[in-house]
Amino acid sequence: IDGIIEDISINTVRIRNFDNTITTTPTYNLISNSVKNWEFMFETKARRFKYQILINPNSIKFTGNEKGDTTLGLYRKHIQSYLQKNELLNKEFQNQIKILNSTSSGIPIEITGYSLATSGSAHEETKASIVEFALASLYQFSLQPASID
């Protein structure tokens, strides 16, 4: 079930799909099937995306400054600053970059953003521009993506 819930009664639920067709389904389907209600996304003007980049752990180095910063730490701060300044993102939500638990494939960095664009193509364009910036910035900090076998 995927759309905006228009009406809920005891027996049925009416859902408006993205092509503006209406689907009516029994209420029990809300329990037995997954439901994607897009209404909150449209009301808040925020569509979430997540993207992971695997970093080669051997490319992470200390920067040599007195603070003991690493290239990964500086990269993370650089991307976080970019997210905070990006006018295509909804600032009412937490746009962030975080380091996840290491895996045998590398160190995952996860970017979470809330695009102001809720339509499919505009949202994907926002996501792509942020991911492209994050990937291109890796080399500025002498970081390498992990190779995936």
Side-chain angles (χ1 to χ4, degrees):
I1 301 173
D2 195 353
I4 297 174
I5 295 175
E6 297 271 317
D7 184 51
I8 299 176
S9 68
I10 293 174
N11 297 322
T12 60
V13 177
R14 192 173 73 188
I15 300 165
R16 181 168 33 99
N17 303 306
F18 281 106
D19 61 359
N20 282 331
T21 59
I22 300 291
T23 301
T24 303
T25 186
T27 306
Y28 65 81
N29 274 344
L30 296 179
I31 297 170
S32 60
N33 294 323
S34 68
V35 177
K36 241 186 210 182
N37 186 355
W38 295 86
E39 185 173 3
F40 183 72
M41 176 189 71
F42 290 118
E43 287 176 359
T44 60
K45 295 181 175 69
R47 185 171 179 179
R48 186 184 77 174
F49 66 86
K50 288 187 174 198
Y51 190 84
Q52 283 188 15
I53 300 171
L54 279 175
I55 305 293
N56 179 339
N58 295 324
S59 68
I60 301 169
K61 308 286 185 237
F62 285 105
T63 61
N65 67 16
E66 296 172 4
K67 296 179 186 177
D69 290 329
T70 65
T71 52
L72 182 59
L74 293 178
Y75 171 76
R76 186 180 48 77
K77 290 174 186 174
H78 175 70
I79 300 302
Q80 186 63 50
S81 174
Y82 178 76
L83 294 174
Q84 289 172 342
K85 294 175 185 173
N86 193 310
E87 294 181 6
L88 300 174
L89 297 177
N90 189 323
K91 303 304 185 289
E92 294 178 22
F93 292 85
Q94 190 169 2
N95 300 291
Q96 65 181 354
I97 179 170
K98 61 183 177 180
I99 301 172
L100 304 177
N101 292 333
S102 298
T103 69
S104 59
S105 301
I107 299 173
I109 303 287
E110 183 177 79
I111 299 169
T112 302
Y114 291 85
S115 169
L116 287 167
T118 55
S119 72
S121 59
H123 169 74
E124 289 300 325
E125 185 60 34
T126 298
K127 175 184 169 185
S129 70
I130 291 167
V131 169
E132 290 163 0
F133 179 85
L135 290 171
S137 295
L138 284 172
Y139 299 99
Q140 182 179 345
F141 295 88
S142 301
L143 295 170
Q144 297 171 351
S147 59
I148 299 172
D149 297 331

